[in-house]
Amino acid sequence: MLKSLIYKEWIKIRWLALAILVAGILMQINIFLKVRHDIIFVDAANYWYSVLFRNYQYFGSLKFLPLIGGLGLAIAQYFPETVNKRIKLTFHLPVDEDEILIKIQTFGAMSLIAIFLLLGLFFFVGSSIFFPAEIIIPALLSSAPWFMGGLASYFLVGFILLEPIWLYRGLYAVLGAGFINFFYVSANPGGYAPVLPMLTLLTLLAGFFLLFSGYRFRKGEM
Amino acid sequence: MYAIECKNLTHYYGKKLIYENLSFNVEEGKILGLLGKNGTGKSTTINILNGFLQPTEGECLIYGENSQKLSPATKMRIGFLIEGHIQYSFMNIHQIEKFYSGFYPRWNSAPYWELMSKLKVTPRQKISNMSCGQRSQVALGLILAQDPDLLILDDFSMGLDPGYRRLFIDYLREYAKAEQKTIFTTSHIIQDMERLIDDVLIMDFNRILAQQPIEKFMSDFKQFVIHLENHNTIIPETDMAVNIERVKDTIEFYTYATAEEVKAFLAERAIGFTDFRERKMSLEDAFIGLTRKY
């Protein structure tokens, strides 16, 4: 059963997942070409100085990629289920309704995390051509909230799309946007460190909201 | 033994009452057709049966389990056709067969592929790019391959041309009778039901008008066409008549009574007539006679 479920979800997201990965890699190639250009044609010492002491984020253009990825993946997975209330087919499968929602969401979240990890690995390898670990690791930590925001947006969009009433969808979208904003406030490197555990906890909690939408659908809210 | 038992169902949408204290059963191995005008609660009943709507009061049991909390084992025994033959339209016929087969241990793909062989679709053609008729065959084929004990079909005729409707009904009836399956179905095309069902359940606003084997219903419920002598004659109210439709001096008298009883009623009230005959009705005629034209 799990294999079948994964098969269906994979059909829904495969091209988008690949597109997010390719877009992330292309963006990073662009970033590293620019870094190379600046190091060669501006001045390596000054460039390093900007990165180390002026909080220059050479990877800043990646900021909203995880958010777009999370939104896109959630739409690819849940929108087809809402068209013609097709989620009825999913709930009718011989599996507990909450269990099947959690499995669908876990697959999507794991796929998103896998894409993020591959992008992170590419970033680490690419950055290590130009910078030492002392620069790369803080850079990864600085971008961690962006990726966490991508995961949170994935959870929240699923929750919103499965909600049966448009008014509630709107309300959840406004509240969700406010929450997602926390992940993208500009901060100095390491600025997010104190709140990162709390944001992680809230993101994981948001993963259970989907069950509430599923419950409301099954109750017949309309 | 009942496949479905609905007891004292009451449902409101907001303050609007759909029905009150509705009770009915579906015997195992029978094909029951639920008929009713728009807004009488057919889809509400289907949604309650499938656990997508919680009734305000009452409950439906499917194989003894409350329809709101069906176990996976019981859901495995139920095939469900959503109104409009909705399926995962982003898949093609191979992908969708592969997907569903993983959920049902009794999966038998032979009837599915037999139906698919009749469709002129390419192997990689997505269901979303198929015609409504082709989609109906995909949905039906998947249900047959699932091999459920109970089939719940919500308006299976919707969007189908006469050829596909006939194909759908003939396949379904043959399958259900050969395999002793139970079917609970609605359709807005009543003539389709006539070929398919064993029992009929006719709903009106807030109540059941008839629930019985279709043969008994069609033999007991009659239409008499009476030409009155005087077009000013007023036909008095009577419990004998389920419905009286009148056009000038001709009345259509719908009743469960015999011709003799109706004639006696007319004689008692000195209502003269020039012609009195029973008109053979189709199920659609009987349905309209019972529920009125408007």
Side-chain angles (χ1 to χ4, degrees):
Chain A
M1 287 185 187
L2 183 62
K3 207 172 141 190
S4 279
L5 200 61
I6 289 173
Y7 177 64
K8 181 187 73 146
E9 297 308 310
W10 175 240
I11 288 172
K12 285 193 280 188
I13 68 164
R14 55 189 171 171
W15 297 118
L16 186 75
L18 190 66
I20 297 166
L21 186 64
V22 170
I25 289 171
L26 290 176
M27 284 173 80
Q28 290 191 42
I29 289 171
N30 186 48
I31 287 168
F32 295 132
L33 286 174
K34 191 170 181 302
V35 169
R36 184 171 174 273
H37 172 273
D38 290 350
I39 285 175
I40 293 173
F41 293 102
V42 180
D43 173 32
N46 272 340
Y47 193 82
W48 273 47
Y49 182 83
S50 299
V51 172
L52 282 169
F53 302 110
R54 289 187 178 168
N55 303 332
Y56 174 64
Q57 292 183 325
Y58 63 95
F59 51 88
S61 58
L62 286 176
K63 189 172 186 178
F64 293 107
L65 179 74
L67 177 68
I68 293 165
L71 289 171
L73 212 66
I75 291 169
Q77 257 193 302
Y78 297 107
F79 181 70
E81 302 283 346
T82 63
V83 176
N84 294 319
K85 297 185 178 175
R86 213 176 273 142
I87 189 73
K88 284 181 178 181
L89 294 168
T90 302
F91 284 147
H92 188 67
L93 292 168
V95 183
D96 177 82
E97 293 89 351
D98 289 338
E99 184 186 329
I100 205 160
L101 283 181
I102 287 293
K103 282 178 175 169
I104 288 171
Q105 184 175 252
T106 303
F107 171 75
M110 297 298 279
S111 303
L112 196 62
I113 290 168
I115 294 167
F116 289 170
L117 287 176
L118 285 172
L119 290 177
L121 184 68
F122 192 87
F123 181 79
F124 186 85
V125 173
S127 294
S128 61
I129 297 170
F130 307 101
F131 304 110
E134 287 77 5
I135 288 178
I136 300 170
I137 290 168
L140 282 171
L141 287 175
S142 294
S143 61
W146 306 344
F147 287 93
M148 192 66 75
L151 190 62
S153 70
Y154 168 76
F155 288 145
L156 290 173
V157 171
F159 162 60
I160 292 165
L161 284 177
L162 280 197
E163 161 59 42
I165 297 178
W166 274 100
L167 182 69
Y168 283 73
R169 280 184 181 172
L171 183 69
Y172 297 160
V174 170
L175 293 174
F179 176 61
I180 294 296
N181 189 47
F182 285 132
F183 295 91
Y184 297 94
V185 177
S186 294
N188 293 331
Y192 265 98
V195 292
L196 209 50
M198 179 56 78
L199 286 177
T200 307
L201 193 69
L202 289 173
T203 299
L204 292 177
L205 195 65
F208 291 95
F209 291 0
L210 187 73
L211 298 181
F212 183 63
S213 291
Y215 166 74
R216 282 174 51 75
F217 182 89
R218 295 198 315 276
K219 221 176 106 197
E221 295 289 351
M222 62 177 78
Chain B
M1 183 69 182
Y2 295 121
I4 298 174
E5 293 172 81
C6 288
K7 301 173 190 167
N8 304 318
L9 285 183
T10 298
H11 195 70
Y12 287 83
Y13 287 116
K15 286 182 179 175
K16 190 190 174 202
L17 175 68
I18 303 300
Y19 42 60
E20 195 166 23
N21 284 324
L22 180 80
S23 298
F24 64 88
N25 303 317
V26 184
E27 269 183 59
E28 280 194 59
K30 293 283 187 182
I31 304 176
L32 184 137
L34 175 62
L35 308 182
K37 289 181 176 174
N38 292 340
T40 51
K42 297 190 299 294
S43 291
T44 300
T45 308
I46 292 271
N47 283 332
I48 291 171
L49 280 174
N50 282 303
F52 300 129
L53 182 63
Q54 201 166 335
T56 310
E57 280 177 39
E59 62 174 3
C60 281
L61 303 179
I62 299 185
Y63 295 118
E65 284 184 17
N66 188 315
S67 65
Q68 305 300 304
K69 299 165 199 149
L70 292 177
S71 66
T74 298
K75 284 202 281 186
M76 208 174 276
R77 298 179 67 188
I78 306 168
F80 176 34
L81 183 83
I82 299 181
E83 186 177 334
H85 311 102
I86 305 299
Q87 267 302 342
Y88 295 112
S89 55
F90 49 85
M91 293 184 180
N92 62 40
I93 57 172
H94 289 271
Q95 290 170 332
I96 203 162
E97 194 273 337
K98 187 176 170 188
F99 166 68
Y100 277 113
S101 64
F103 287 93
Y104 299 99
R106 277 164 34 184
W107 189 263
N108 171 20
S109 59
Y112 176 78
W113 290 118
E114 191 185 332
L115 269 175
M116 292 308 99
S117 68
K118 295 181 194 298
L119 306 182
K120 292 175 179 63
V121 296
T122 59
R124 296 173 71 90
Q125 185 178 339
K126 282 186 181 178
I127 294 169
S128 58
N129 295 330
M130 292 181 186
S131 71
C132 196
Q134 289 170 328
R135 286 203 303 271
S136 76
Q137 300 307 295
V138 174
L140 176 64
L142 291 169
I143 289 179
L144 300 188
Q146 180 193 331
D147 194 22
D149 296 320
L150 168 66
L151 289 79
I152 298 177
L153 315 175
D154 190 1
D155 206 349
F156 65 83
S157 313
M158 183 178 265
L160 300 188
D161 64 31
Y164 272 117
R165 287 203 330 258
R166 187 60 63 88
L167 181 64
F168 195 104
I169 290 165
D170 290 349
Y171 239 93
L172 200 59
R173 172 121 195 135
E174 188 188 316
Y175 168 76
K177 289 300 153 192
E179 307 279 332
Q180 282 288 298
K181 305 296 183 187
T182 309
I183 300 180
F184 182 92
T185 181
T186 67
S187 170
H188 70 285
I189 299 183
I190 294 169
Q191 69 209 52
D192 290 349
M193 292 290 219
E194 204 162 1
R195 290 178 66 86
L196 178 66
I197 62 179
D198 300 315
D199 296 325
V200 66
L201 173 63
I202 301 179
M203 291 173 73
D204 198 4
F205 297 99
N206 308 340
R207 64 199 174 115
I208 289 178
L209 292 174
Q211 185 184 7
Q212 52 192 297
I214 187 156
E215 280 180 14
K216 181 170 168 47
F217 173 68
M218 294 304 290
S219 70
D220 289 358
F221 189 58
K222 302 178 194 73
Q223 181 196 39
F224 296 109
V225 180
I226 306 163
H227 289 278
L228 301 172
E229 277 179 350
N230 183 348
H231 70 265
N232 291 323
T233 305
I234 294 168
I235 307 295
E237 292 269 324
T238 171
D239 290 343
M240 185 187 286
V242 173
N243 177 23
I244 299 173
E245 303 278 352
R246 179 169 186 162
V247 180
K248 294 184 178 173
D249 59 350
T250 301
I251 61 170
E252 292 171 351
F253 196 101
Y254 295 94
T255 180
Y256 287 101
T258 62
E260 289 68 33
E261 286 167 333
V262 176
K263 282 179 182 171
F265 162 77
L266 296 173
E268 269 174 32
R269 283 154 184 81
I271 299 170
F273 55 85
T274 57
D275 187 28
F276 183 105
R277 59 194 161 84
E278 182 177 346
R279 184 185 282 165
K280 181 93 179 136
M281 287 191 290
S282 64
L283 181 59
E284 186 168 280
D285 296 329
F287 172 76
I288 291 169
L290 196 63
T291 60
R292 298 166 192 264
K293 289 177 186 165
Y294 49 87

